[in-house]
Amino acid sequence: MDILSMFEHTFMIRALIIGIPVSLCASLLGVSLVLKRYSMIGDGLSHVGFGALAIASAFNLTPLPVAIPVVVISAFLLLRISENSKIKGDSAIALISSSALAIGVTVATLRNGMNTDISNYLFGSIVATSDFDAIWSVCLSGIVIILLRIFYNKIFAVTFDENFSKATGIKVNFYNTVIAILTALTVVLGMRIMGTLLISSLIIFPALSAMQVCKTFRQVIVTSAILSVICFFIGISVSYTAGTPVGASIVLANLTAFVIFTVVKNIVSH
Amino acid sequence: MLSVLRCNNVTMSYDGNTVFKDLNFEIHRGDYLCIVGENGSGKSTLMKGILGLRSASYGEFIFGDGLQQTEIGYLPQQTGIQKDFPASVWEVVLSGRLNKKKFLGFYNKEDKKIAWENMEKIGIPSLKKRCYRELSGGQQQRVLLARALCSAEKLILLDEPVVGLDPVATAQMYTIIKNLNQNDNMTVIMVSHDIISAVNYASHILHLSVSGEIFFGTTQEYQHSELGSRFLYHNCHCDDCEKHKLKHIHQSKP
Ligand SMILES: Nc1ncnc2c1ncn2[C@@H]1O[C@H](COP(=O)(O)OP(=O)(O)O)[C@@H](O)[C@H]1O
Ligand SMILES: [Mg+2]
């Protein structure tokens, strides 16, 4: 199959329009989340997002307007939990995520059986997205990127040394909340394509790969953003030509990049 | 005279375990306070209390003399939290200027100038482009001091600033802090293990101890106090010190 032919399909174009900005946001936020040891929040949010989407679909509601507020509120809660105690926070997030997943599956099954909607939410799909999703995705990603640009230095400071920032009068809670809300938006948007079970890799992988070789925060941010978009594109192309599941293909592209970066790092340091 | 910081009957604890109790002291602009005491006596905990990173279980810290939190600089005790953080020295030092920014966080020319001047003051201009995580412990400490200087205007708090520094860098660190205190009229609060230097440089001493004994006063008073004469092992033969020594010898007899 010819790769270029993928641009002839509306659903592929739509997938790119949704996916590229979302991968960009995910990778930018990912740097901060990974460094703050908050990666679990992304995972927890995606499960809550699944619960919300499944319930919305069971009652024939438009998915995004239901999922976004639910996930944003959960982001507040998860952040508070992780702040209060680092170790117990992990288990609390795991409890919340599996409960949300269970509630979603149960409600959806009781209403109309395990249908393709549910499976799409779990593993992602390109055909299931709508124009409405695409518009939301572009607008929200735009907002996320603008806010990240505006708060870039503050987010660096809060990520690098939260105590110093707090001690010298920076509103640390405000910036942590901004990060959590932006993550919530990104997770909900990305879930449609990546699936609940795979979306957190979009957040974690590019940042981890970039951290292998980069020496400054700016380099990490830029590298992980570029890497994320490239991997998304490779993943979706492979999925289109080889018929592999889209979310999984993108994760595998990211995994390959991670392995390459790790090898490069080890060669360079020897 | 208004005090910069008043510590009012403060008790601090972790999960019900009291670290120190009923602490009272007061410092004024231009004072140089050294907090000394054994490991675990609560020096870092007190720093966190002053900075609002941990709340007191009883009592309160009161800032005065128009001091704002955004005029404070802080050098945390090396903990290794940021051990594998990818950041350049320049990014770290510059971030000390952020508390002067209301909402947005864009650096202007002045911020860069001040950051650069502070790096020169500490003697680390050559590290500007280096990766923070690849520096030695002592170099990292100096980078964090430069950052603290960027945010400090009236008060600077330093938690064990000379740990991990070589003798030359240690002397340099003390000189920098002394100049800051004397030339820029910066109020200094420093935690230190190095009791000899503490007595040499500080104007006031706060001595915490695991047993709960507390001393606060001027350095002069400290040298002849019970805790002071016991910790300094000096050869002062004034009446007070002789009395403390006698008492100590009696106590330590089986
Ligand atoms: N995060 C913490 N949780 C529980 N106990 C702590 C914590 N931090 C310090 N402590 C305890 O409080 C006491 C004082 O610690 P700290 O203020 O770090 O002492 P110092 O800085 O004087 O060596 C110690 O007994 C220590 O074990
Ligand atoms: Mg300490």
Side-chain angles (χ1 to χ4, degrees):
Chain A
M1 215 187 300
D2 180 11
I3 282 216
L4 286 179
S5 74
M6 78 186 216
F7 295 106
E8 288 161 14
H9 300 279
T10 335
F11 70 90
M12 284 303 289
I13 302 285
R14 200 164 49 215
L16 290 173
I17 291 177
I18 297 177
I20 289 177
V22 168
S23 335
L24 205 58
C25 295
S27 61
L28 295 175
L29 288 162
V31 173
S32 196
L33 293 174
V34 167
L35 288 168
K36 283 166 93 63
R37 315 267 188 280
Y38 280 175
S39 331
M40 278 301 289
I41 291 186
D43 201 50
L45 289 179
S46 65
H47 289 72
V48 173
F50 171 82
L53 287 182
I55 289 172
S57 119
F59 293 95
N60 289 324
L61 304 168
T62 332
L64 285 187
V66 176
I68 287 176
V70 172
V71 177
V72 167
I73 291 168
S74 316
F76 268 114
L77 293 176
L78 291 185
L79 188 69
R80 288 292 105 78
I81 291 171
S82 329
E83 272 169 359
N84 287 343
S85 60
K86 279 259 144 68
I87 306 161
K88 284 181 216 145
D90 265 9
S91 348
I93 291 176
L95 283 183
I96 293 176
S97 6
S98 44
S99 309
L101 199 60
I103 293 171
V105 173
T106 310
V107 171
T109 315
L110 285 180
R111 287 286 291 196
N112 34 7
M114 275 298 269
N115 53 20
T116 37
D117 267 5
I118 299 298
S119 158
N120 284 345
Y121 290 150
L122 280 177
F123 297 108
S125 156
I126 3 182
V127 276
T129 55
S130 64
D131 283 344
F132 184 69
D133 290 338
I135 294 169
W136 270 82
S137 172
V138 170
C139 294
L140 286 177
S141 304
I143 294 174
V144 171
I145 290 168
I146 290 170
L147 287 179
L148 282 177
R149 179 66 201 101
I150 291 175
F151 296 137
Y152 171 80
N153 288 322
K154 297 257 186 175
I155 288 178
F156 166 78
V158 169
T159 308
F160 179 69
D161 192 343
E162 189 164 312
N163 273 350
F164 175 84
S165 303
K166 208 185 272 177
T168 56
I170 292 177
K171 305 261 176 300
V172 169
N173 285 339
F174 171 77
Y175 294 100
N176 278 339
T177 309
V178 168
I179 294 174
I181 291 177
L182 298 186
T183 308
L185 294 177
T186 306
V187 162
V188 176
L189 294 174
M191 272 179 64
R192 311 302 304 282
I193 293 182
M194 294 298 297
T196 305
L197 301 177
L198 301 174
I199 177 71
S200 55
S201 64
L202 205 59
I203 293 176
I204 298 169
F205 260 126
L208 273 185
S209 305
M211 279 166 60
Q212 299 296 315
V213 293
C214 296
K215 308 259 183 218
T216 73
F217 191 71
R218 171 149 301 180
Q219 278 173 13
V220 173
I221 292 269
V222 172
T223 311
S224 91
I226 294 172
L227 197 61
S228 179
V229 172
I230 291 176
C231 289
F232 175 81
F233 195 77
I234 292 176
I236 208 167
S237 310
V238 167
S239 159
Y240 176 76
T241 44
T244 50
V246 61
S249 313
I250 294 168
V251 174
L252 290 179
N254 272 299
L255 175 63
T256 313
F258 177 73
V259 171
I260 294 173
F261 275 59
T262 311
V263 170
V264 167
K265 173 194 164 196
N266 286 319
I267 291 173
V268 168
S269 66
H270 277 127
Chain B
M1 198 161 55
L2 276 171
S3 55
V4 171
L5 169 69
R6 211 168 83 218
C7 174
N8 220 351
N9 246 330
V10 171
T11 298
M12 293 192 71
S13 50
Y14 289 99
D15 311 316
N17 296 322
T18 302
V19 179
F20 54 78
K21 221 171 104 176
D22 300 334
L23 181 62
N24 281 293
F25 67 87
E26 189 174 29
I27 54 172
H28 300 94
R29 186 182 297 184
D31 283 355
Y32 186 149
L33 171 69
C34 257
I35 305 174
V36 298
E38 315 100 294
N39 286 323
S41 55
K43 304 180 297 295
S44 298
T45 306
L46 173 59
M47 287 293 232
K48 292 191 180 133
I50 295 172
L51 290 165
L53 299 175
R54 206 182 158 76
S55 43
S57 34
Y58 189 76
E60 57 187 343
F61 296 97
I62 303 164
F63 287 123
D65 206 4
L67 180 73
Q68 303 291 316
Q69 191 151 32
T70 52
E71 296 169 322
I72 297 177
Y74 173 44
L75 176 66
Q77 184 168 18
Q78 284 276 20
T79 50
I81 316 173
Q82 311 111 339
K83 222 174 56 202
D84 44 347
F85 198 103
S88 70
V89 166
W90 182 239
E91 285 174 320
V92 174
V93 174
L94 208 46
S95 74
R97 293 291 303 163
L98 278 175
N99 64 343
K100 310 284 179 283
K101 315 272 160 199
K102 271 266 145 46
F103 191 61
L104 308 177
F106 297 113
Y107 300 122
N108 56 29
K109 276 218 173 75
E110 196 202 345
D111 296 322
K112 291 178 183 164
K113 184 167 149 265
I114 290 173
W116 180 248
E117 283 169 359
N118 283 321
M119 285 176 69
E120 284 180 325
K121 206 185 260 182
I122 315 284
I124 51 168
S126 60
L127 299 182
K128 183 178 176 186
K129 294 232 162 67
R130 293 281 301 278
C131 177
Y132 176 81
R133 65 178 167 193
E134 289 168 1
L135 301 179
S136 73
Q139 287 173 319
Q140 290 184 343
Q141 188 81 336
R142 295 210 265 171
V143 173
L144 296 186
L145 178 65
R147 177 185 67 168
L149 293 184
C150 285
S151 56
E153 275 173 87
K154 291 188 178 160
L155 172 64
I156 189 163
L157 291 97
L158 310 130
D159 198 343
E160 312 228 359
V162 298
V163 167
L165 295 188
D166 59 62
V168 177
T170 301
Q172 225 178 6
M173 181 73 91
Y174 281 125
T175 311
I176 291 165
I177 296 166
K178 189 183 84 188
N179 289 340
L180 212 57
N181 177 242
Q182 291 180 349
N183 306 343
D184 305 339
N185 200 24
M186 180 94 68
T187 311
V188 176
I189 301 180
M190 173 157 85
V191 169
S192 176
H193 264 125
D194 182 357
I195 205 156
I196 306 292
S197 304
V199 170
N200 273 340
Y201 289 102
S203 64
H204 293 74
I205 303 279
L206 172 64
H207 188 134
L208 299 175
S209 58
V210 179
S211 62
E213 289 169 278
I214 294 174
F215 172 89
F216 174 77
T218 63
T219 308
Q220 195 106 71
E221 288 163 354
Y222 177 70
Q223 285 175 313
H224 307 289
S225 73
E226 196 177 335
L227 275 175
S229 67
R230 199 186 318 155
F231 271 74
L232 284 164
Y233 295 114
H234 55 19
N235 281 322
C236 176
H237 295 290
C238 75
D239 290 351
D240 285 340
C241 288
E242 289 297 338
K243 215 162 59 198
H244 299 319
K245 275 179 213 163
L246 274 176
K247 185 174 165 200
H248 192 57
I249 291 167
H250 284 302
Q251 269 176 353
S252 45
K253 267 190 189 147

